[in-house]
Amino acid sequence: MELPATLARVNKRLTNPIQRLWAPHLAPWAMVEHTGRSSGRRYRTPVLAWAGGDTLAVVLAYGRDTDWVRNVLAAGGCDITRRGKHFHLMRPRIIPADSPDVVRGARPFASAFAWVLIGTLEPA
């Protein structure tokens, strides 16, 4: 299942600016900081993310073709702020939501969707 694109547009304009206030500090929220593929502009996108050891999993509720996901994959990583700590996400890749590689905490949420972005966290 994927959430509708119209909801994504509403969230981008209305909800995300509010979520940016707490996302870097309140798990399972996290802030993804990525660079636009064409514009070179820096973006900050709040996401739901679960960590297990040095692996981070972000359930892709809007699918695998959103701009922020494409930016992260094209750059080969991104910066993440989670629980007030800064990390760099290395080697991002998209896996099926039912993969055994999905971080345990993300599995209940992932089961409702098709894809999960995972990568390795390194302190920034």
Side-chain angles (χ1 to χ4, degrees):
M1 172 179 112
E2 281 184 22
L3 296 178
T6 54
L7 181 59
R9 286 190 293 276
V10 169
N11 279 342
K12 189 174 186 177
R13 295 198 187 277
L14 298 176
T15 311
N16 285 2
I18 297 166
Q19 291 174 340
R20 284 187 190 103
L21 299 174
W22 68 73
H25 309 287
L26 183 65
W29 291 98
M31 186 68 68
V32 174
E33 298 176 35
H34 54 97
T35 303
R37 297 177 311 283
S38 300
S39 69
R41 181 177 167 202
R42 289 290 285 176
Y43 295 95
R44 297 173 62 233
T45 304
V47 298
L48 289 170
W50 291 265
D54 66 349
T55 301
L56 186 82
V58 179
V59 176
L60 301 179
Y62 296 105
R64 58 190 294 166
D65 293 321
T66 60
D67 283 333
W68 79 264
V69 172
R70 292 169 47 192
N71 289 343
V72 168
L73 292 173
C78 64
D79 294 322
I80 299 274
T81 304
R82 187 173 187 273
R83 293 186 175 183
K85 296 179 183 169
H86 301 285
F87 300 94
H88 189 70
L89 185 75
M90 306 287 293
R91 297 178 292 286
R93 67 186 202 278
I94 297 173
I95 61 172
D98 60 358
S99 169
D101 293 335
V102 174
V103 171
R104 180 175 295 183
R107 290 179 188 165
F109 191 69
S111 66
F113 299 97
W115 305 105
V116 176
L117 178 111
I118 67 167
T120 304
L121 285 176
E122 294 185 353

